[in-house]
Amino acid sequence: MAKKVSSTREKSECRFCRSKTNYVDYKDIETLSRLLTQRGKIFSRKRSGNCAACQRKVQLAIKRARYMALLPYMN
């Protein structure tokens, strides 16, 4: 008989939840550029460590920054 292993994982908050950020600013290029690859792609939630809600906020902020020509669409 196989032993059941409980899957209790330590819950960690994303960087935006830890700092209690309600709005991800599209003008904060330094923070947003850390969430992009060298080629300009947005990192996945798993890779960036964001929760789902914050990932959507980041995605919207990056798209706004690209539209305003603060970030490149691709490198």
Side-chain angles (χ1 to χ4, degrees), residues 22-65:
N22 292 328
Y23 175 73
V24 180
D25 193 15
Y26 71 92
K27 293 174 273 186
D28 188 7
I29 301 305
E30 186 177 322
T31 304
L32 294 178
S33 62
R34 278 192 236 129
L35 299 170
L36 295 172
T37 64
Q38 290 289 332
R39 302 191 76 177
K41 291 184 176 182
I42 302 172
F43 280 130
S44 64
R45 275 185 51 210
K46 192 172 186 177
R47 180 91 187 257
S48 64
N50 293 334
C51 64
C54 291
Q55 182 70 14
R56 286 191 294 270
K57 292 175 188 175
V58 165
Q59 192 173 8
L60 183 64
I62 288 173
K63 289 178 180 182
R64 285 180 178 166

Side-chain angles (χ1 to χ4, degrees), residues 12-24 49-55 57-58:
S12 61
E13 292 183 318
C14 72
R15 72 179 87 197
F16 299 107
C17 291
R18 275 188 299 240
S19 63
K20 298 188 181 358
T21 305
N22 292 328
Y23 175 73
V24 180
N50 293 334
C51 64
C54 291
Q55 182 70 14
K57 292 175 188 175
V58 165

